[in-house]
Amino acid sequence: YGYNRQGQSAILGFVPYELSELRLTFLRDNIDKDKQPEHAMDAFKTTRKVGKLNIRLGEEDLSNTLNLELAAKKIERKADNFHLRDASPNVKVEIKRDVLETNLKYDVDFASLHNQIGAGFEKDKHDGKRYIKQGSNWVFNGYRFADVRNDKFMLFDTLAYKFNEANEASLALKYEEQRSKLNGIDTKFFVKNSIAPNTTRKLFRQIYGEDVSDKIKKDAFSASLKYKFTPNDKDSYFAKLESLSRLPSNMERFNTLYGAGDNGWIANPNLDPQRHNRAVLGFKFGSQFYKEYLNSLQNKDAFSFGGHFIADSVKNLIIFDRRHSKAAMPLNKNAVISRNVDAT
């Protein structure tokens, strides 16, 4: 085990006048020679780059403020079984992901009411290919991610009402719609066994017994009702009733790397969003001398602690499982799959 890691970051801010602010952030994270003996390959090169622009127009206290955020993320990973170990035949996987995000939100106060309304958009391009070396040539023999394209739209609103300095109630709503396209679903790749699936579409059909469209649309709606009691600046208590929905990730829906034997990893592109219907009780309190972690008065009894209790009923919980197939064909017989279950 072990790896080499180095990174850089920079933040540039500009405040032309009190009602506007610009902030530019850049982050680069580089991981080399990541030894992973528990897997068939080592990630010998991983690079992450993130750039973000934040623009504020209006009051700094969010009483009448427009905030715009633009972000670009670029991730590249190269893994193989020959840089950090000796294995045959030589195999490599190359993954590229580009994400563009933008969201616009407006905050405004009306007496004791505060409202935040906003919208967002995310464009995600995710491609991952595996190659096997035959002679002096590299041959494409499977997708990790079959040239996936996701477009996600978001609308959200949070309305908070302050009865007095100690009591506040809020209602938050969020709607998301994701449209996915698998550009590589019918692209053929090399397979040694002539009866084995040689496209991602055929692979999905073999594992899940149904055809998969190259265009998939999913949506999710979430709501949260919260009451918060703050008797002083050290103590707070809250109660929440929530129905939260989560769209599946690319790893849960679109990972399609079949195994050489019975141990592939083929996710389910038709997963339903995961929903949590739950009640939450939480608290936090501290002594009068406590300020914050590592910043309290010396030689005083300064402490703070908190916790929460959750009762949760989950519909369409997304889990990873094994296929446990009894089919005669050994390929992907015990592959990792993803599926929905209900849980409490």
Side-chain angles (χ1 to χ4, degrees):
Y1 294 90
Y3 56 83
N4 299 325
R5 188 170 194 172
Q6 49 91 12
Q8 304 81 36
S9 62
I11 300 176
L12 178 64
F14 177 56
V15 183
Y17 61 103
E18 62 180 357
L19 294 181
S20 67
E21 179 182 2
L22 287 84
R23 186 170 68 253
L24 184 63
T25 306
F26 175 76
L27 172 68
R28 182 181 182 273
D29 184 23
N30 192 78
I31 303 175
D32 294 329
K33 300 179 180 180
D34 187 2
K35 297 178 181 178
Q36 300 179 357
E38 74 277 18
H39 298 303
M41 298 185 192
D42 301 303
F44 77 92
K45 183 72 173 178
T46 302
T47 303
R48 302 180 181 95
K49 298 176 183 177
V50 179
K52 184 184 292 187
L53 174 65
N54 293 90
I55 300 175
R56 172 180 62 86
L57 298 175
E59 302 291 343
E60 189 175 4
D61 63 0
L62 302 181
S63 59
N64 184 20
T65 312
L66 185 69
N67 277 289
L68 172 66
E69 180 175 285
L70 302 171
K73 304 174 183 178
K74 186 177 185 64
I75 303 170
E76 294 184 353
R77 169 169 286 183
K78 296 181 180 180
D80 62 40
N81 65 352
F82 54 86
H83 268 88
L84 305 179
R85 68 176 79 180
D86 292 323
S88 183
N90 290 168
V91 180
K92 66 179 181 179
V93 173
E94 297 178 350
I95 298 176
K96 295 181 180 180
R97 189 174 189 181
D98 294 287
V99 181
L100 294 175
E101 298 175 348
T102 179
N103 71 73
L104 182 68
K105 53 189 177 183
Y106 176 61
D107 289 81
V108 63
D109 285 340
F110 299 101
S112 297
L113 279 171
H114 179 84
N115 190 58
Q116 181 189 87
I117 188 170
F121 174 74
E122 178 184 292
K123 193 171 193 65
D124 182 4
K125 299 179 180 180
H126 205 173
D127 189 26
K129 294 180 179 180
R130 181 177 61 186
Y131 300 87
I132 186 170
K133 195 168 188 179
Q134 294 184 341
S136 59
N137 298 319
W138 287 101
V139 179
F140 171 47
N141 77 328
Y143 271 115
R144 178 73 183 270
F145 298 99
D147 198 7
V148 179
R149 301 288 190 267
N150 292 322
D151 289 336
K152 184 164 70 173
F153 307 86
M154 294 167 284
L155 294 172
F156 52 90
D157 186 82
T158 300
L159 182 65
Y161 180 74
K162 206 162 189 177
F163 299 93
N164 49 49
E165 288 300 317
N167 296 275
E168 183 178 4
S170 61
L171 174 65
L173 305 173
K174 184 178 182 180
Y175 175 76
E176 299 174 281
E177 180 183 284
Q178 186 179 66
R179 300 175 184 177
S180 304
K181 190 173 189 306
L182 282 71
N183 289 333
I185 194 170
D186 291 313
T187 301
K188 292 183 179 180
F189 43 78
F190 170 78
V191 292
K192 291 183 178 180
N193 191 332
S194 60
I195 64 173
N198 65 344
T199 68
T200 301
R201 186 189 296 275
K202 293 177 182 178
L203 194 58
F204 284 140
R205 188 184 299 123
Q206 180 206 37
I207 302 300
Y208 297 102
E210 60 184 11
D211 199 8
V212 173
S213 173
D214 63 332
K215 296 179 180 179
I216 303 171
K217 178 181 174 182
K218 298 288 183 179
D219 61 0
F221 177 76
S222 298
S224 177
L225 180 63
K226 179 179 179 180
Y227 168 74
K228 186 177 182 181
F229 174 57
T230 310
N232 54 64
D233 62 348
K234 306 294 183 182
D235 307 336
S236 65
Y237 309 86
F238 70 86
K240 290 194 293 185
L241 290 176
E242 299 178 312
S243 183
L244 307 178
S245 187
R246 179 181 73 84
L247 293 168
S249 67
N250 285 358
M251 182 66 78
E252 293 165 333
R253 294 176 66 194
F254 300 125
N255 187 59
T256 55
L257 202 60
Y258 73 89
D262 66 349
N263 57 352
W265 187 334
I266 300 94
N268 184 355
N270 289 327
L271 283 175
D272 290 321
Q274 176 175 299
R275 178 166 293 281
H276 293 259
N277 296 310
R278 66 184 197 174
V280 184
L281 296 175
F283 67 94
K284 183 186 73 172
F285 58 89
S287 68
Q288 67 178 108
F289 300 111
Y290 180 83
K291 292 184 177 181
E292 59 186 25
Y293 180 61
L294 296 180
N295 184 22
S296 298
L297 293 180
Q298 294 183 358
N299 302 319
K300 299 291 185 179
D301 293 329
F303 66 88
S304 176
F305 64 93
H308 56 263
F309 306 92
I310 300 176
D312 195 357
S313 175
V314 188
K315 183 177 178 58
N316 294 322
L317 176 69
I318 299 169
I319 66 168
F320 292 115
D321 200 355
R322 289 286 182 177
R323 187 184 177 205
H324 301 303
S325 172
K326 296 182 180 179
M329 180 185 235
L331 186 66
N332 301 313
K333 196 170 184 176
N334 199 34
V336 175
I337 61 172
S338 52
R339 60 190 183 97
N340 292 119
V341 299
D342 293 339
T344 55

